[in-house]
């Protein structure tokens, strides 16, 4: 988390502009923030799929997500998941013998928490290999993420996901407030910043709620870091400790009320190092980043880091979506 917070020292010069600036981000730009998030998910027991082909299928799901302007964050409630039907299977009389497969690959997008399927698309591919696993892999390789049918399938599902956020906006914000009341600021930020900007009405409401929450987060973060920095410096006043403490101090947000204390400690360390080590120590505390975009990304990174730290074994409900 220290390294993550290090990126944030540019942050929150004018908190009131968060909503405006985030709304101006283009959802079609390559590095766009606030995109619809869909998690690629291949069930452990996908009927008939050789284990060697599972990773390749997961890679294809990731390619589909990326190629269609979607974020592939872990543990999203919305998932894209496959199912495979073997249409034909032939043993070719070649030397060596080869296996030829025709696969109907069915893709589903939906709410994996509530078990609601939003969209379905079937792609037929063929593959040949020296064994069944190789034939599966050859066929899966022929799935094209930019296929017009797949693009339309993803687009339709995105519309339903956007509707989900707009219809449940009050519930989402209330859940964030509940997390905030438990001092789980990271979880609350994850909840609020997960709303895609295409869900315009809910997005603006959730971003308005981010500003005061972010202020609370950086205040707590500053106090914790000052405590850690003072403890380390008081225990061992050396060049190495100075650099370690400097790293902690430089990750404190300049908008935090205890930032002046951090600057004072930084100056004190510099003087002490000169006394004991006879050399200049000047740890630059500010990182000169003025772009609103970087500040916004830092805020979202807190939520993403929190989400990535949650248990990976999410139990998705895909009963009735296909033949899983």
């Amino acid at each position: 988390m220290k390294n993550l917070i290090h990126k944030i020292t540019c942050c929150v010069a004018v908190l009131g502009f968060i909503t405006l600036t985030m709304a101006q981000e283009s959802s079609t730009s390559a590095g766009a923030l606030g995109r619809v998030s869909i998690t690629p998910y291949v069930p452990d027991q996908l009927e008939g799929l050789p284990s060697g082909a599972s990773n390749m299928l997961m890679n294809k799901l990731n390619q589909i997500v990326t190629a269609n302007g979607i974020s592939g964050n872990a543990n999203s409630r919305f998932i894209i998941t496959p199912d495979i039907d073997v249409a034909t299977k032939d043993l070719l009389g070649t030397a060596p013998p080869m296996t030829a497969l025709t696969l109907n690959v069915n893709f589903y997008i939906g709410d994996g928490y509530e078990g609601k399927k939003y969209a379905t698309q079937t792609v037929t591919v063929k593959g040949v290999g020296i064994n069944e696993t190789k034939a599966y892999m050859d066929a899966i390789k022929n799935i094209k993420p930019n296929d017009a049918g797949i693009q339309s399938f993803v687009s339709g599902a995105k519309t339903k996901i956007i509707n989900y956020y707009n219809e449940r906006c009050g519930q989402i914000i209330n859940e964030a407030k509940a997390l905030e009341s438990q001092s789980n600021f990271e979880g609350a930020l994850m909840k609020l910043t997960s709303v895609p900007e295409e869900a315009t009405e809910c997005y603006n409401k959730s971003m308005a709620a981010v500003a005061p929450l972010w202020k609370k987060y950086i205040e707590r973060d500053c106090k914790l870091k000052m405590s850690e920095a003072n403890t380390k410096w008081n225990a061992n006043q050396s060049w190495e400790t100075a650099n370690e403490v400097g790293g902690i101090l430089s990750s404190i947000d300049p908008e935090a009320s205890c930032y002046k204390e951090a600057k004072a400690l930084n100056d004190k360390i510099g003087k002490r190092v000169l006394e004991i080590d006879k050399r200049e120590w000047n740890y630059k505390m500010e990182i000169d980043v003025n772009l609103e975009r970087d500040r916004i990304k830092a805020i979202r990174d807190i939520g993403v880091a929190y989400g990535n730290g949650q248990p990976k074994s999410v139990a998705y409900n895909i009963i009735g979506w296909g033949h899983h």
Side-chain angles (χ1 to χ4, degrees), residues 116-135:
K116 288 184 179 177
K117 181 171 63 178
Y118 287 165
T120 306
Q121 177 67 19
T122 300
V123 177
T124 301
V125 287
K126 296 184 177 185
V128 178
I130 57 172
N131 55 42
E132 190 169 318
T133 297
K134 297 288 187 184

Side-chain angles (χ1 to χ4, degrees), residues 131-174:
N131 55 42
E132 190 169 318
T133 297
K134 297 288 187 184
Y136 261 96
M137 293 172 76
D138 189 53
I140 290 168
K141 186 175 67 179
N142 291 319
I143 297 169
K144 295 178 172 56
N146 288 312
D147 173 78
I150 289 179
Q151 287 182 332
S152 177
F153 152 72
V154 174
S155 178
K158 278 175 70 175
T159 299
K160 292 185 177 179
I161 291 171
I162 289 162
N163 289 341
Y164 168 92
Y165 283 104
N166 282 328
E167 288 167 5
R168 305 202 186 184
C169 195
Q171 179 184 331
I172 292 166
I173 290 172
N174 285 338

Side-chain angles (χ1 to χ4, degrees), residues 190-208:
M190 183 186 74
K191 181 77 67 176
L192 293 172
T193 58
S194 68
V195 177
E197 66 176 307
E198 290 139 304
T200 310
E201 186 180 343
C202 186
Y203 180 81
N204 289 337
K205 287 178 182 176
S206 63
M207 289 307 103

Side-chain angles (χ1 to χ4, degrees), residues 41-216:
Y41 173 64
V42 178
D44 292 334
Q45 304 299 324
L46 189 57
E47 189 178 341
L49 180 68
S51 59
S54 182
N55 285 342
M56 183 170 277
L57 188 54
M58 176 62 90
N59 288 339
K60 279 294 174 185
L61 294 181
N62 278 307
Q63 289 171 23
I64 288 170
V65 162
T66 303
N68 288 278
I70 287 171
S71 165
N73 290 344
N75 295 352
S76 166
R77 72 178 302 124
F78 303 106
I79 59 173
I80 177 169
T81 188
D83 176 28
I84 296 178
D85 293 320
V86 179
T88 66
K89 178 181 175 182
D90 299 297
L91 192 62
L92 305 180
T94 55
M98 304 285 274
T99 300
L101 293 174
T102 303
L103 305 179
N104 291 325
V105 184
N106 309 303
F107 294 107
Y108 309 96
I109 294 177
D111 184 333
Y113 290 178
E114 293 189 0
K116 288 184 179 177
K117 181 171 63 178
Y118 287 165
T120 306
Q121 177 67 19
T122 300
V123 177
T124 301
V125 287
K126 296 184 177 185
V128 178
I130 57 172
N131 55 42
E132 190 169 318
T133 297
K134 297 288 187 184
Y136 261 96
M137 293 172 76
D138 189 53
I140 290 168
K141 186 175 67 179
N142 291 319
I143 297 169
K144 295 178 172 56
N146 288 312
D147 173 78
I150 289 179
Q151 287 182 332
S152 177
F153 152 72
V154 174
S155 178
K158 278 175 70 175
T159 299
K160 292 185 177 179
I161 291 171
I162 289 162
N163 289 341
Y164 168 92
Y165 283 104
N166 282 328
E167 288 167 5
R168 305 202 186 184
C169 195
Q171 179 184 331
I172 292 166
I173 290 172
N174 285 338
E175 287 171 358
K177 286 178 178 175
L179 290 167
E180 180 185 348
S181 70
Q182 298 160 17
S183 295
N184 184 351
F185 302 141
E186 296 92 339
L189 285 168
M190 183 186 74
K191 181 77 67 176
L192 293 172
T193 58
S194 68
V195 177
E197 66 176 307
E198 290 139 304
T200 310
E201 186 180 343
C202 186
Y203 180 81
N204 289 337
K205 287 178 182 176
S206 63
M207 289 307 103
V210 162
L213 175 61
W214 176 251
K215 186 67 175 169
K216 288 182 181 180

